[in-house]
Amino acid sequence: MRIAINCRSFLKKNVTGIGRYALNLVQSLSEIDRDNEYWLYAPKKVVDLKRRIPRFPQNNFKIKTNYFNRGLNDILQGAELYHSPSLDFVDFTGGKVVVTVHDLIYKVYPQGHTPQTCEICERQMQDIVRRADKIICVSQTTSGDLQKFFPLAPDKISVVYQGVDKNVFSPLLPEHLSRARRAVSERGVDGPFLLFVGTLEPRKNVYALLEAFEMIKEKKAFDGRLVLIGMKGWMAEKLKEMLSRMKAREDVLFPGFVSDQELRCFYNLAEVFIYPSFYEGFGFPVLEAFCCGAPVVTSNISACAEVAADAAVTVDPSSPEDIAGAIINLVKNREQRDVLKQKALRRAENFSFRKTAAETLAVYRHVCAGDR
């Protein structure tokens, strides 16, 4: 097979979310498949220092760079299958088409997007539903949402869970913990801390987490800080206003974007990792925290609960009281934290990008063979 994969999402220096999925998928495919030919489609201007074209040593992986916006059909002429790892308009007509749908946030939680973004997403989804030969969903949650909102035959959908890079996210050896504490301290975090990782936007439910933290501080149940790692999303002004009213605002820290190695240190050292998102199509941070053995509190809805299974404490994300209660119970109960750590590590074993790549390759084969 001659397989083309759109690499646009991981051409930038700081790769997050979908870009991390696409990059790890390609890397894992390069490790397990020497038989098929891969064309890595890279849209890039001639003078563009912000985008880096990926390089893979395997001979069956070739770069197809589109410098002059010539279109998919021109650049990928001869490809048997085109895979878009994210929501996009499908402009390829030269072969089979596979698209990965990560979530339907714009449908399930429309207040998480602007009306303009929702409109674009709807047009893209209509295009995908019409043109794709197979849609990969990253969770049963996303698959269910897709079938709820669009008239699709179930056999047009394949659920392929995402993985995590366990070379990066893993428990630290005891002899490495002091170095990790120094790394965290350089980011302004000393002493015990609670951790959140994700874009700081309404859907991630940071407001309820801040309310919960205020309750915890008022009860004097935790003598530590709350660390929120992530880039500021839209509606950041509301977050700023809320912080200004908090009594515990001095104990809320925002390190900003951190490297994967630094993030591993934070996950390993956190007393509790909290991810009370209102909606996720998968929920990478929960799995990353599991891989590092962090005790996790997350939402009892959407893919958060699906990924977590019994390895985390799940709460009602709309209830700051519920979130605060779960955190307090874990902070006070070291034995429960230790049990959760072991469950987290066992749960993480079910997810790997090698498995993601193998199941995705099976989808490619079925589609090219005319199966669904």
Side-chain angles (χ1 to χ4, degrees):
M1 293 183 293
R2 189 175 291 121
I3 302 161
I5 302 177
N6 194 320
C7 300
R8 181 185 61 185
S9 60
F10 62 84
L11 297 181
K12 292 184 178 180
K13 182 179 179 181
N14 293 329
V15 178
T16 60
I18 291 172
R20 191 187 295 271
Y21 156 77
L23 178 59
N24 280 285
L25 172 63
V26 172
Q27 287 177 333
S28 297
L29 284 169
S30 73
E31 294 168 2
I32 68 170
D33 189 5
R34 296 288 192 272
D35 299 325
N36 297 294
E37 185 176 347
Y38 288 86
W39 289 356
L40 305 181
Y41 175 76
K44 183 181 184 294
K45 295 179 180 178
V46 176
V47 182
D48 187 349
L49 300 179
K50 293 183 179 180
R51 291 193 174 192
R52 301 176 303 166
I53 298 176
R55 300 292 173 187
F56 296 89
Q58 290 77 7
N59 293 331
N60 59 327
F61 280 71
K62 298 178 174 62
I63 308 298
K64 293 288 184 178
T65 308
N66 184 358
Y67 286 114
F68 302 104
N69 197 25
R70 289 159 49 195
L72 289 173
N73 286 320
D74 190 355
I75 301 295
L76 301 178
Q77 187 174 3
E80 297 171 62
L81 181 146
Y82 167 72
H83 181 190
S84 174
S86 62
L87 214 62
D88 205 350
F89 291 107
V90 183
D91 298 324
F92 181 74
T93 59
K96 301 290 187 178
V97 172
V98 173
V99 179
T100 300
V101 174
H102 296 261
D103 57 63
L104 271 85
I105 293 169
Y106 83 98
K107 285 283 197 185
V108 180
Y109 193 77
Q111 60 269 45
H113 286 313
T114 64
Q116 294 82 2
T117 299
C118 288
E119 181 184 349
I120 292 171
C121 288
E122 177 66 15
R123 286 167 49 208
Q124 289 174 331
M125 274 306 310
Q126 293 290 351
D127 194 44
I128 289 167
V129 168
R130 184 173 66 255
R131 298 194 187 196
D133 294 280
K134 183 74 81 171
I135 297 174
I136 293 175
C137 291
V138 299
S139 65
Q140 294 291 347
T141 296
T142 298
S143 175
D145 291 339
L146 188 61
Q147 293 177 72
K148 175 182 177 181
F149 291 108
F150 295 94
L152 283 168
D155 63 358
K156 192 173 181 176
I157 300 170
S158 289
V159 174
V160 178
Y161 284 114
Q162 301 188 60
V164 67
D165 188 349
K166 293 173 184 175
N167 293 320
V168 175
F169 298 106
S170 60
L172 290 168
L173 296 173
E175 56 266 32
H176 295 157
L177 289 176
S178 59
R179 189 187 309 166
R181 291 190 183 94
R182 286 197 299 273
V184 166
S185 178
E186 289 173 2
R187 286 288 190 164
V189 184
D190 294 304
F193 63 91
L194 309 173
L195 180 65
F196 166 89
V197 176
T199 305
L200 305 177
E201 62 182 5
R203 177 174 60 88
K204 301 294 185 179
N205 202 20
V206 177
Y207 307 135
L209 175 55
L210 290 174
E211 287 184 47
F213 186 64
E214 188 89 311
M215 294 175 188
I216 292 167
K217 283 296 188 177
E218 287 175 355
K219 294 179 180 180
K220 295 180 169 47
F222 178 65
D223 185 22
R225 308 179 102 171
L226 172 62
V227 178
L228 297 101
I229 294 176
M231 295 177 288
K232 291 182 179 179
W234 73 301
M235 295 182 71
E237 284 302 313
K238 183 180 176 182
L239 179 63
K240 187 176 180 181
E241 291 173 10
M242 183 174 183
L243 282 166
S244 68
R245 298 192 301 268
M246 286 181 63
K247 295 178 181 178
R249 60 182 174 273
E250 295 301 323
D251 286 326
V252 181
L253 301 180
F254 297 87
F257 185 89
V258 303
S259 68
D260 283 349
Q261 291 301 328
E262 289 174 307
L263 190 54
R264 180 191 185 194
C265 296
F266 276 101
Y267 279 133
N268 270 269
L269 296 175
E271 295 291 309
V272 181
F273 174 73
I274 311 104
Y275 199 69
S277 177
F278 282 123
Y279 177 80
E280 294 293 325
F282 184 75
F284 261 123
V286 171
L287 185 53
E288 291 172 351
F290 280 176
C291 287
C292 296
V296 173
V297 172
T298 191
S299 302
N300 60 7
I301 56 176
S302 78
C304 292
E306 183 180 343
V307 171
D310 68 342
V313 176
T314 55
V315 296
D316 177 1
S318 65
S319 171
E321 293 82 5
D322 206 8
I323 297 169
I327 295 170
I328 290 171
N329 287 338
L330 282 180
V331 166
K332 290 184 175 181
N333 191 332
R334 175 170 291 278
E335 184 177 339
Q336 187 182 4
R337 291 205 306 275
D338 290 341
V339 168
L340 278 182
K341 286 183 178 183
Q342 295 308 312
K343 285 186 174 183
L345 290 170
R346 286 196 297 271
R347 180 62 177 161
E349 291 175 0
N350 295 317
F351 302 87
S352 75
F353 268 111
R354 275 204 164 226
K355 184 178 179 182
T356 302
E359 293 180 5
T360 301
L361 180 56
V363 170
Y364 295 162
R365 287 172 174 153
H366 290 159
V367 170
C368 284
D371 300 328
R372 283 192 174 178

